[in-house]
Amino acid sequence: MRYKIIDNIWSELKDYINRHKFLLITDRNIYNIYKGHIEKLINDEDDILILEPGENSKSLEELMNIYKVLIEKNLDRNGIILSLGGGVVGDISGFAASTYKRGIDYIQIPTTLLSQVDSSIGGKTGIDFLGYKNIIGTFYFPSMTLINPLFINTLNKKEITCGLGEIIKYGLIEDYDFFKYIGENIGNIYNKDKNILTYIIEKSVEIKSFIVNKDKLDLGLRQKLNFGHTVGHSIESLFNYERYNHGEAVILGMIYETTIAYEKGLISEEYYNEIRNILIPLVEPVGFNENEVNILLNYMKKDKKNKNDKIGFVLPVDKGKVDIFYDIDELTIKKILMMI
Ligand SMILES: NC(=O)c1ccc[n+]([C@@H]2O[C@H](COP(=O)([O-])OP(=O)(O)OC[C@H]3O[C@@H](n4cnc5c(N)ncnc54)[C@H](O)[C@@H]3O)[C@@H](O)[C@H]2O)c1
């Protein structure tokens, strides 16, 4: 897995553009904000494909349009796709790259905090279909991920919280000191302190690549990246992906799953409180009613980590350490989801 954290992204891209036939895929928000840079880099508008911002663009229709443009441009197997955007642009561009002419190179240029620390690292590509998220996809690593922390300057607070969810997760699953560092620097992160952002992005990418490198195809170890995601995904689904973005739902998931771990005696009261004190100010816990809890449970019963119809939970067991459990009883889950 190759990545670089750099400031001079545009001149680095110039290099790729000079050497290859290419298609740059981005979304309308990013294009509007960075139009000056993009137009300085690319003269021919046929080399740019602009998607509408948002999850709806991760669709089969949009994918077919990308194939159509690639064919019209007659991109050969030496051609490359430059994916300039957040996780939506990255996922669909990566999928197109992995399938067009049985695979061409693509470069990820992630522009959201979430995509810089998570979705551009790890080689998962995909689209949504029939209402199922990421149901069609491939493992296909970009030939390079170019990360410029300065893109974060134009992100809003909600999108920063989204990335922060995954960043805090890395600390909790792998590196307690990193978790402490993030906790002490939440204000600086929201204030977009460049040095601190660069450090936490670099550290996050290091942790994610370390785990992914040991389990490229998501068959075992990589499951620990799913801390907060069993409950988190069910919350995203309950609210139809509208009330919370992915990272916010993961933060809520980590709050509830940490509570399960405490209730089951896996972690000390001190560690439980430490985690909650950092997470709760970021996203207020919900306090679900019984009907909502039943819906959440139904979603959790479809989680990809489940085994023999038992819900799989990645839970903290020590500072900076997690493990997977299949024996959490429904009563405990229900109680905790209604309690907070
Ligand atoms: N492949 C993976 O491993 C993986 C991992 C996590 C999430 N994902 C996927 O990522 C997607 C979510 O990604 P995301 O959170 O980056 O969302 P996104 O791509 O929808 O971007 C969020 C919003 O921010 C805007 N934006 C992007 N960069 C900006 C910038 N620099 N300044 C201002 N606005 C900017 C976008 O236009 C969009 O409106 C989901 O589809 C999810 O399934 C994939």
Side-chain angles (χ1 to χ4, degrees):
M1 202 156 11
R2 296 174 67 210
Y3 63 86
K4 276 194 209 168
I5 298 184
I6 49 169
D7 277 353
N8 58 338
I9 212 116
W10 305 108
S11 56
E12 183 90 12
L13 283 179
K14 183 110 208 134
D15 219 43
Y16 285 101
I17 284 175
N18 288 341
R19 283 187 285 125
H20 298 269
K21 210 163 174 180
F22 69 93
L23 177 69
L24 180 129
I25 305 179
T26 189
D27 81 22
R28 175 126 350 250
N29 292 337
I30 302 156
Y31 183 75
N32 287 342
I33 299 172
Y34 295 99
K35 198 171 176 184
H37 289 285
I38 298 172
E39 287 180 350
K40 227 189 260 172
L41 188 71
I42 301 170
N43 312 319
D44 187 348
E45 62 181 31
D46 288 349
D47 290 334
I48 305 171
L49 178 63
I50 302 172
L51 310 178
E52 285 316 308
E55 189 69 27
N56 283 345
S57 282
K58 254 173 72 174
S59 65
L60 197 55
E61 293 72 31
E62 212 45 77
L63 178 72
M64 290 195 296
N65 188 43
I66 295 176
Y67 290 143
K68 198 168 143 261
V69 173
L70 291 171
I71 292 166
E72 276 165 9
K73 285 179 63 62
N74 195 19
L75 219 77
D76 58 25
R77 296 203 65 212
N78 234 340
I80 53 171
I81 290 180
L82 304 174
S83 156
L84 175 71
V88 165
V89 173
D91 278 11
I92 190 168
S93 308
F95 186 76
S98 75
T99 43
Y100 176 71
K101 297 204 170 172
R102 298 200 175 85
I104 60 169
D105 277 358
Y106 75 116
I107 313 287
Q108 289 266 25
I109 309 117
T111 60
T112 60
L113 189 56
L114 177 94
S115 58
Q116 297 197 339
V117 299
D118 187 5
S119 61
S120 70
I121 307 291
K124 285 188 180 176
T125 81
I127 56 165
D128 308 332
F129 186 57
L130 298 180
Y132 295 97
K133 269 199 78 167
N134 302 321
I135 190 88
I136 299 176
T138 53
F139 286 98
Y140 193 69
F141 287 81
S143 44
M144 177 59 87
T145 295
L146 297 172
I147 302 171
N148 185 351
L150 290 175
F151 278 121
I152 308 308
N153 281 341
T154 52
L155 268 195
N156 63 30
K157 187 168 180 223
K158 199 171 161 79
E159 295 303 337
I160 293 194
T161 307
C162 183
L164 203 47
E166 299 292 347
I167 291 167
I168 293 172
K169 179 197 76 183
Y170 293 135
L172 290 171
I173 65 174
E174 197 66 40
D175 187 334
Y176 174 69
D177 289 340
F178 184 46
F179 167 69
K180 296 268 297 181
Y181 178 86
I182 302 159
E184 285 156 13
N185 283 289
I186 298 277
N188 292 327
I189 294 169
Y190 280 113
N191 287 332
K192 302 169 178 172
D193 180 301
K194 193 197 162 208
N195 290 334
I196 289 170
L197 270 176
T198 304
Y199 172 72
I200 62 157
I201 291 168
E202 199 159 9
K203 188 86 195 161
S204 300
V205 170
E206 236 174 74
I207 294 176
K208 178 149 186 195
S209 338
F210 172 77
I211 295 171
V212 167
N213 270 330
K214 292 191 169 177
D215 179 21
K216 287 209 165 77
L217 298 181
D218 201 1
L219 300 170
L221 187 75
R222 210 166 157 163
Q223 283 195 336
K224 70 155 105 171
L225 291 167
N226 268 291
F227 173 44
H229 285 60
T230 306
V231 175
H233 278 150
S234 71
I235 294 175
E236 277 185 285
S237 304
L238 174 72
F239 294 112
N240 241 333
Y241 297 92
E242 279 162 8
R243 178 154 157 194
Y244 298 106
N245 63 33
H246 178 69
E248 291 173 321
V250 167
I251 291 174
L252 286 174
M254 290 192 289
I255 296 172
Y256 293 110
E257 291 177 14
T258 299
T259 311
I260 295 176
Y262 174 62
E263 184 82 8
K264 288 286 160 194
L266 300 173
I267 52 170
S268 68
E269 187 172 358
E270 178 216 348
Y271 190 39
Y272 163 67
N273 284 325
E274 195 183 348
I275 298 176
R276 286 171 54 96
N277 289 342
I278 290 184
L279 296 180
I280 288 179
L282 301 178
V283 188
E284 185 86 11
V286 183
F288 297 100
N289 64 37
E290 196 165 354
N291 181 38
E292 288 169 330
V293 167
N294 287 330
I295 300 172
L296 289 171
L297 262 172
N298 278 336
Y299 282 120
M300 287 182 227
K301 286 178 183 163
K302 294 189 187 128
D303 192 275
K304 64 178 177 190
K305 292 181 294 304
N306 297 353
K307 253 190 203 163
N308 304 326
D309 287 335
K310 299 272 181 213
I311 303 175
F313 283 97
V314 176
L315 300 177
V317 291
D318 203 346
K319 293 184 172 177
K321 242 182 125 198
V322 291
D323 223 328
I324 187 151
F325 294 83
Y326 295 97
D327 57 351
I328 308 299
D329 55 291
E330 275 193 21
L331 225 61
T332 304
I333 306 169
K334 280 187 166 175
K335 186 177 94 184
I336 285 164
L337 287 169
M338 290 172 79
M339 184 167 84
I340 310 179

